[in-house]
Amino acid sequence: GDDIASPLAVSDNGQVYAAGYLAGQPVASGLTLPLTGFSDFIARYDTTTKQIAWSKDMMIYADRIVTSGSGSVYVAGQNYSKSLLTVREFSEADGTKISGRGLVLSGPTRHARVTSLASPNTGQTVVVGNFNGELTGQTTTLQVGKNTGFLWRE
């Protein structure tokens, strides 16, 4: 099946984080990942040991991934039903999910794409993207022709 890792991020200490999707039972670097079937995942590749340190099933289509410099990695994307634009925060150390927040998408043609994701040292997450349909939550939106952009800052 198709296996795709995109996007990628590298932390300050050189660890590589990948988000993507895969089909089947993958084996990488001699380590079998605990994911089966069709899975959307986040994984950390340890550049020292040359092994996958951890992987998690996310249940979202990831558009962007970023590390914070303070021990967290953030992933932004859309859930399977296309009803929620979400940002999930994971521990860089072991992949434990720390938090998840979202904006509700509604309407007949709901679709969202995150084009930029940042986690500055202020502790806020900034998400920029575009969408079709209606977006509910604390956002700033800009309508340009048929396209609507958004800025979401927590």
Side-chain angles (χ1 to χ4, degrees):
D2 292 333
D3 299 330
I4 296 176
S6 175
L8 298 171
V10 179
S11 68
D12 291 342
N13 64 0
Q15 301 305 304
V16 177
Y17 297 87
Y21 69 90
L22 50 88
Q25 180 72 29
V27 177
S29 300
L31 176 67
T32 301
L33 300 177
L35 304 170
T36 59
F38 182 82
S39 298
D40 288 295
F41 69 90
I42 179 174
R44 186 185 105 198
Y45 178 76
D46 189 314
T47 54
T48 304
T49 65
K50 308 288 190 255
Q51 296 280 327
I52 294 173
W54 54 259
S55 64
K56 304 289 180 180
D57 194 340
M58 291 190 305
M59 303 291 288
I60 63 171
Y61 301 111
D63 287 324
R64 296 288 181 257
I65 185 170
V66 66
T67 61
S68 67
S70 62
S72 293
V73 58
Y74 295 87
V75 179
Q78 191 170 357
N79 69 344
Y80 289 161
S81 66
K82 296 186 176 183
S83 61
L84 185 68
L85 181 70
T86 186
V87 174
R88 297 208 178 142
E89 178 184 7
F90 297 89
S91 164
E92 285 188 31
D94 62 8
T96 303
K97 182 178 168 186
I98 297 172
S99 66
R101 298 167 295 282
L103 298 174
V104 176
L105 289 163
S106 59
T109 59
R110 57 185 189 230
H111 173 76
R113 180 150 178 88
V114 175
T115 55
S116 294
L117 172 65
S119 179
N121 293 333
T122 61
Q124 291 185 320
T125 304
V126 179
V127 183
V128 176
N130 53 62
F131 68 97
N132 293 326
E134 298 174 16
L135 194 60
T136 305
Q138 295 181 328
T139 63
T140 301
T141 60
L142 173 65
Q143 181 78 38
V144 180
K146 294 181 180 180
N147 298 314
T148 305
F150 69 88
L151 170 67
W152 174 26
R153 182 175 61 192
E154 302 181 290

